[in-house]
Amino acid sequence: MQTLQSYVVGQWMAGSGQGSTLENPTTGEHVATCSTEGVDFGAVVRHAREVGGPALRAMTFAERAAMLKGLSAAIHEIREELIDMGAVNGGNTRGDAKFDVDGATGTLAAYASFGKRLGDRPFLPDGDGLQLGRTARFWGQHIRVPRRGVAVHINAFNFPAWGMMEKAACALLAGVPVIEKPGAATSLMAWRIAQVVVESGLVPEGAFQFICGSAGDLLDHLDGQDCVAFTGSAATGRIIRGNPNLTANNVRVNIEADSINAAVLAPDVDASSETYGLFVGNVVLDMCQKAGQKCTAVRRVFVPEDRMDEVQADLIAELARYPMGEPQEKTTRLGPVAHSAQLADVQAGIGRLSEVAEVVHGGAESPREGCFVSPTILRASDADEDVLHELEVFGPVFTLIPYDGTAERAAELVNRGGGGLVVSAYFAEDAWGERFVVDAAPYHGRIWMGSERMAEQALPPGMVLPALVHGGPGRAGGGEELGALRGLEFYTQRTAIQGFKSFVAGHFGPLDPAE
Ligand code: NAP
């Protein structure tokens, strides 16, 4: 069995002890182990701060952007190998693995493009200058500078490629060294990408380190110039946020946690319309892609009361387009969940939901050997059951929930998720859509409004785009990532500079677009 290593303090290192075992969820075979026992996390943090940080900051934004472009190309070169790894250690179908890998290279390329126009000054002007005194002589300007610490990135098991590289893209472009820790259970693909990053020679030594296995006491070595960006469950998010050292030193923490995402069908959407086709297609895609293990996947589907039967039948019919099977088979569109603990979690979750809703398709019983879950649709009659809005079943599972068709009630119900990453609504009347957006926005990081007027060009709501923010309030963690250059804010310090105008504006103001 393979032993995966960490890349720390300039070398690859296998930890001692048992560590974690990586499995193939289709066959149950063990494919690798990883451990970080024996890693000196204090030395890892110092190496990033003392070696990686200065080297990165010596590069201009444009040079760091070029580095991201090179990384995107280097990872793309081993795309097929990574796709295979996604199947072996994660149960990804080809489509699922491409979504992850291409998401990683696409986000790196996008940040390369955002960064190339940022110039060669070691800071970024933030907004326009301001007159502060009676005349323009006393002037103010905000700037952003890379913080002098390290960015610790802790990721979930479901996106070993995209999860790691979307965070790394923002931090490295900002000029901050990274320590990447993927979810151990599916770390094979992340480990291979880390190898490519290191071997590419594009990233200065110390600017990219990779932890394969437990984070140990890493967080206890951080201080006020460092930051932690975490993606994972709400429960782990709470542990990280409550870490005494992070609290004592006001270490910046960004939490991307779980979310009970919803899709809403407005009453005025005709069953023969393209909008309705988009609704059916997207809901089922979200259910089956990555076997429902996407933080953005729909868990609750709100349908006008009088259309529940029709929608249920159409969604079940759409499922025929997603044959379940061996992930590496070209025809397979629904693979197993990622590992056996995940299977047990999903089965327990279906059991819990079935106490308040009827299973109308699928069910908790595994349909075949391996970590397979039947695509499962539940149907609730009472939209006010708390568990529907509180329990994230991280697999190919959603619940159909009736509502009265008003935008106000739809928003009230989706908001009961307590804060979500994304909600999608399919509508025909602008007035319905506008009311829904205004009422649902305080509780959501992203709102996706489906209509035949954009159906042909629309990327699905489960897809996170580098140009738009990702994250959500409350339950979803309260964090925010990406959003083009907004994604750099977490890694930089905004400082207000005050002084005489020719100095402040001349040295720190926005560049003349003509220059
Ligand atoms: P998890 O169990 O919370 O683990 C997430 C990461 O935290 C893993 O790397 C894990 O390491 C690490 N970890 C666990 N305990 C830790 C501790 N005490 N200190 C430091 N790190 C610790 O979540 P998961 O099962 O991997 O992922 C599934 C969850 O992630 C779902 O709830 C999903 O909704 C959420 N998710 C959210 C987003 C988003 O963008 N909002 C994206 C993807 C997934 P080990 O693997 O080594 O235990």
Side-chain angles (χ1 to χ4, degrees):
M1 203 172 11
Q2 206 169 1
T3 303
L4 307 185
Q5 298 182 313
S6 298
Y7 183 73
V8 287
V9 199
Q11 58 185 342
W12 289 97
M13 178 187 163
S16 52
Q18 179 118 33
S20 308
T21 303
L22 285 64
E23 65 180 274
N24 179 333
T26 310
T27 62
E29 272 171 317
H30 291 171
V31 292
T33 59
C34 63
S35 162
T36 56
E37 218 178 299
V39 170
D40 176 351
F41 286 103
V44 176
V45 170
R46 282 195 301 280
H47 188 63
R49 284 187 194 138
E50 292 167 12
V51 179
L56 267 184
R57 292 193 300 272
M59 298 164 74
T60 64
F61 281 97
E63 284 167 344
R64 295 195 293 262
M67 168 180 79
L68 299 185
K69 192 172 174 194
L71 290 179
S72 173
I75 296 167
H76 183 75
E77 266 185 40
I78 57 155
R79 183 173 185 256
E80 282 304 316
E81 190 187 339
L82 294 173
I83 289 171
D84 283 344
M85 286 179 162
V88 169
N89 173 226
N92 294 183
T93 65
R94 277 189 66 77
D96 292 344
K98 280 189 215 166
F99 189 63
D100 189 10
V101 174
D102 295 347
T105 52
T107 304
L108 284 165
Y111 272 88
S113 158
F114 301 145
K116 73 181 175 206
R117 286 182 291 275
L118 294 180
D120 55 9
R121 297 190 293 180
F123 60 86
L124 297 172
D126 183 302
D128 290 330
L130 301 154
Q131 179 176 323
L132 300 175
R134 214 166 10 92
T135 70
R137 217 188 291 181
F138 185 40
W139 196 253
Q141 172 72 51
H142 291 99
I143 62 166
R144 287 198 158 273
V145 287
R147 288 157 65 101
R148 294 291 168 102
V150 56
V152 171
H153 292 159
I154 299 176
N155 275 303
F157 74 84
N158 57 336
F159 281 102
W162 174 81
M164 179 163 81
M165 297 322 287
E166 59 97 11
K167 285 184 170 62
C170 292
L172 293 174
L173 181 59
V176 175
V178 298
I179 299 172
E180 298 291 337
K181 185 217 153 343
T186 58
S187 49
L188 183 66
M189 192 194 280
W191 164 81
R192 183 69 185 105
I193 291 175
Q195 273 191 334
V196 170
V197 171
V198 172
E199 284 164 12
S200 73
L202 292 163
V203 184
E205 177 46 46
F208 180 95
Q209 297 183 85
F210 177 76
I211 303 290
C212 208
S214 155
D217 66 353
L218 172 61
L219 302 184
D220 299 338
H221 297 279
L222 303 183
D223 71 22
Q225 285 287 310
D226 302 316
C227 60
V228 179
F230 165 81
T231 294
S233 62
T236 312
R238 272 192 295 276
I239 294 173
I240 290 179
R241 208 189 278 290
N243 175 290
N245 179 56
L246 300 187
T247 312
N249 287 302
N250 292 317
V251 176
R252 271 191 193 172
V253 176
N254 191 74
I255 304 280
E256 298 288 343
D258 53 34
S259 163
I260 320 296
N261 308 298
V264 182
L265 181 68
D268 50 10
V269 177
D270 192 84
S272 62
S273 67
E274 228 180 314
T275 309
Y276 184 76
L278 195 60
F279 161 74
V280 170
N282 281 342
V283 167
V284 174
L285 171 69
D286 246 3
M287 173 188 227
C288 296
Q289 191 170 45
K290 285 251 166 195
Q293 301 161 111
K294 281 196 330 247
C295 53
T296 51
V298 168
R299 311 293 172 200
R300 299 171 294 161
V301 181
F302 293 99
V303 178
E305 281 141 356
D306 58 345
R307 298 186 65 182
M308 287 284 280
D309 291 341
E310 161 203 351
V311 168
Q312 178 184 319
D314 291 337
L315 291 169
I316 291 173
E318 176 73 6
L319 272 171
R321 299 183 54 219
Y322 289 83
M324 175 188 280
E326 303 269 328
Q328 272 151 321
E329 289 289 332
K330 283 217 162 73
T331 49
T332 298
R333 293 190 76 195
L334 175 60
V337 295
H339 53 85
S340 38
Q342 188 56 27
L343 174 66
D345 256 22
V346 174
Q347 289 174 322
I350 295 173
R352 179 73 188 92
L353 286 178
S354 65
E355 291 167 17
V356 300
E358 182 194 353
V359 175
V360 293
H361 189 82
E365 202 175 313
S366 211
R368 50 184 282 169
E369 286 279 292
C371 300
F372 288 87
V373 178
S374 296
T376 298
I377 303 178
L378 295 104
R379 175 172 173 159
S381 50
D382 179 2
D384 286 312
E385 288 284 0
D386 288 338
V387 68
L388 300 174
H389 309 286
E390 289 171 0
L391 181 69
E392 182 200 47
V393 181
F394 207 55
V397 182
F398 65 76
T399 307
L400 290 168
I401 306 173
Y403 80 108
D404 66 7
T406 64
E408 289 81 355
R409 175 68 172 153
E412 182 195 329
L413 286 168
V414 300
N415 293 350
R416 282 184 58 181
L421 295 173
V422 58
V423 58
S424 49
Y426 299 80
F427 72 114
E429 299 293 334
D430 277 13
W432 191 102
E434 188 183 352
R435 178 80 265 153
F436 180 78
V437 167
V438 171
D439 286 358
Y443 287 83
H444 292 87
R446 189 157 57 83
I447 300 183
W448 192 100
M449 298 301 289
S451 153
E452 56 203 2
R453 284 171 280 179
M454 48 59 118
E456 194 196 331
Q457 293 183 20
L459 297 164
M463 184 183 271
V464 173
L465 300 173
L468 296 182
V469 291
H470 172 61
R475 165 80 188 244
E480 190 175 278
E481 290 182 338
L482 300 171
L485 293 178
R486 292 176 188 88
L488 275 58
E489 298 200 353
F490 184 65
Y491 302 101
T492 51
Q493 177 63 37
R494 180 165 28 221
T495 304
I497 313 295
Q498 297 170 282
F500 60 93
K501 184 175 180 185
S502 61
F503 172 74
V504 175
H507 292 277
F508 299 102
L511 290 174
D512 183 339
E515 279 177 40

